[in-house]
Amino acid sequence: DAAKIAGLENAEYSLINLNKGVYIFDKDETLINTEVEKEPLLAFMEEAKSGVEKDTVEYQEDGQSYFSVYKMLGNRGWLLVIRDTETEIFGLVKSSQIILGIVCLITIILIAAISYIFIGIKINPITRVTKAIDKLEKLDLQQDEKLEKYAARKDEVGQIAKALISLGETFRNIVETLDNCSASLTVSSD
């Protein structure tokens, strides 16, 4: 039980003496020091004796699909075999895929939220300048104090804000001049 693999609680270990063909260790303690008779293990022993080591071996036993790995332990002539059911191994993979999917989804949502906030911050000055242009188009010549804070910027928004402030001032001066001329004409005609 000390040799458990996280997520693979049902994995089984066998340690076999290849020279004698007996179990050194097995989950089933009654097999210790008895001759190996299980077919998959006999096949692994033959392959190991011939120097062949495979990464994984898939086989059926008692109607269940298993994956096994085996490894020769140095020059002692011992073979370590680890096996587990296909269901448990792929269950671990499936849960990892679900966790990865959730992490990806959260990442996408965070990126979208940060993008939305960042774009909102960047577009706000442009929206303010556009509203000032619309006011000027409707001949609303009142000074827009909110436009003043953008005039100090060194980018295009700042240049447009400065131009709008100047244009508004020019229009106000023209209206004032026309108003003075009109008042002067009215006084002269009396």
Side-chain angles (χ1 to χ4, degrees):
D1 286 342
K4 290 284 183 191
I5 299 173
L8 301 175
E9 283 72 26
N10 297 318
E12 297 178 3
Y13 302 84
S14 295
L15 187 58
I16 300 167
N17 184 327
L18 280 179
N19 299 326
K20 295 180 182 178
V22 296
Y23 290 96
I24 298 171
F25 172 81
D26 193 85
K27 183 177 180 178
D28 181 359
E29 293 180 4
T30 61
L31 294 175
I32 295 175
N33 250 353
T34 62
E35 190 173 329
V36 176
E37 295 176 354
K38 288 185 178 180
E39 179 49 43
L41 293 177
L42 290 172
F44 300 159
M45 290 169 60
E46 287 303 316
E47 290 174 356
K49 283 179 185 177
S50 66
V52 175
E53 286 191 29
K54 296 181 180 174
D55 289 336
T56 59
V57 178
E58 184 179 358
Y59 61 93
Q60 297 282 327
E61 185 179 296
D62 300 327
Q64 183 94 10
S65 292
Y66 286 91
F67 281 99
S68 287
V69 293
Y70 60 90
K71 181 78 175 159
M72 286 289 295
L73 298 180
N75 55 4
R76 295 182 170 175
W78 292 0
L79 181 68
L80 175 65
V81 179
I82 303 173
R83 78 178 193 154
D84 201 356
T85 62
E86 178 181 4
T87 307
E88 188 169 59
I89 291 171
F90 286 124
L92 186 61
V93 170
K94 185 70 172 173
S95 66
S96 296
Q97 287 175 332
I98 290 170
I99 290 169
L100 183 61
I102 291 170
V103 167
C104 288
L105 184 63
I106 290 170
T107 302
I108 289 170
I109 290 170
L110 282 174
I111 289 171
I114 291 169
S115 297
Y116 180 79
I117 291 168
F118 184 73
I119 290 170
I121 290 170
K122 289 295 183 184
I123 287 183
N124 189 32
I126 296 170
T127 304
R128 190 77 218 137
V129 168
T130 303
K131 286 179 182 178
I133 292 171
D134 290 342
K135 281 175 59 176
L136 197 56
E137 175 189 25
K138 294 175 181 150
L139 299 177
D140 181 355
L141 301 178
Q142 288 183 346
Q143 180 85 20
D144 189 350
E145 289 84 27
K146 292 181 180 178
L147 199 58
E148 291 287 335
K149 72 178 183 179
Y150 298 119
R153 292 174 58 151
K154 303 251 185 257
D155 60 2
E156 291 81 5
V157 172
Q159 292 173 349
I160 294 170
K162 285 177 202 166
L164 283 172
I165 291 170
S166 176
L167 188 60
E169 186 69 31
T170 302
F171 280 162
R172 280 190 293 281
N173 288 340
I174 290 172
V175 167
E176 186 179 325
T177 301
L178 289 174
D179 195 31
N180 289 340
C181 289
S182 174
S184 183
L185 286 172
T186 304
V187 170
S188 298
S189 67
D190 288 332

